[in-house]
Amino acid sequence: MTHEVGAAEVVRELVEAVVRRDEQTALSLCTPDVRIHIEGFDELEGHEDLAHLLRFQAEFVSDASVRIHHVLVDGDTAAVERTDQFTISGERVTLAVGSFFHLRDGLVAEWYDYHDLRDVARALGH
């Protein structure tokens, strides 16, 4: 039971750190070789790619927030249902996201995000 509570806390803290662009906390919650799969984007790997993602968000995204609805844990795997809200190119976007995480030694080793990017594409003029 303690292991499951720990995994839920790790993924919750990671999602919240990414939304507030807290690079130090986000990196501390991931393995150095973390693999990040974001639907609609190339796969990212390692702390350098995660830091680059956070810096990209800082440049193009503002007023970001997240509401975590559910966190389910089974061993070293966690699923998160959440809603992200942010402003991009002056347009407010609400994005429903399903995330799956695989932890190794208490840190996130793999992260999968699934969502519909049509609203983001519209905000960017695509």
Side-chain angles (χ1 to χ4, degrees), residues 17 29 50 110 119-120:
L29 295 168
L50 176 54
E110 289 188 272
D119 289 334
V120 174

Side-chain angles (χ1 to χ4, degrees), residues 8-67:
E9 290 171 351
V10 167
V11 298
R12 184 180 295 275
E13 188 174 348
L14 176 58
V15 168
E16 292 171 350
V18 168
V19 168
R20 68 178 183 269
R21 295 184 296 269
D22 179 348
E23 186 175 323
Q24 183 177 356
T25 299
L27 295 177
S28 75
L29 295 168
C30 295
T31 62
D33 61 342
V34 62
R35 296 179 66 115
I36 304 167
H37 314 264
I38 302 173
E39 185 177 27
F41 291 95
D42 289 334
E43 183 176 298
L44 307 172
E45 186 171 349
H47 280 184
E48 187 174 319
D49 281 358
L50 176 54
H52 179 74
L53 173 66
L54 295 174
R55 292 178 194 138
F56 173 82
Q57 287 179 338
E59 188 173 335
F60 294 101
V61 174
S62 63
D63 194 27
S65 65
V66 63
R67 181 167 178 234

Side-chain angles (χ1 to χ4, degrees), residues 62-82:
S62 63
D63 194 27
S65 65
V66 63
R67 181 167 178 234
I68 297 174
H69 305 286
H70 299 97
V71 178
L72 303 172
V73 175
D74 182 17
D76 288 332
T77 301
V80 176
E81 177 192 10
R82 69 180 206 260

Side-chain angles (χ1 to χ4, degrees), residues 85-104:
Q85 289 189 318
F86 51 89
T87 301
I88 189 166
S89 297
E91 187 171 328
R92 191 75 175 149
V93 175
T94 299
L95 192 62
V97 182
S99 299
F100 296 89
F101 300 88
H102 300 287
L103 286 79
R104 183 174 67 235

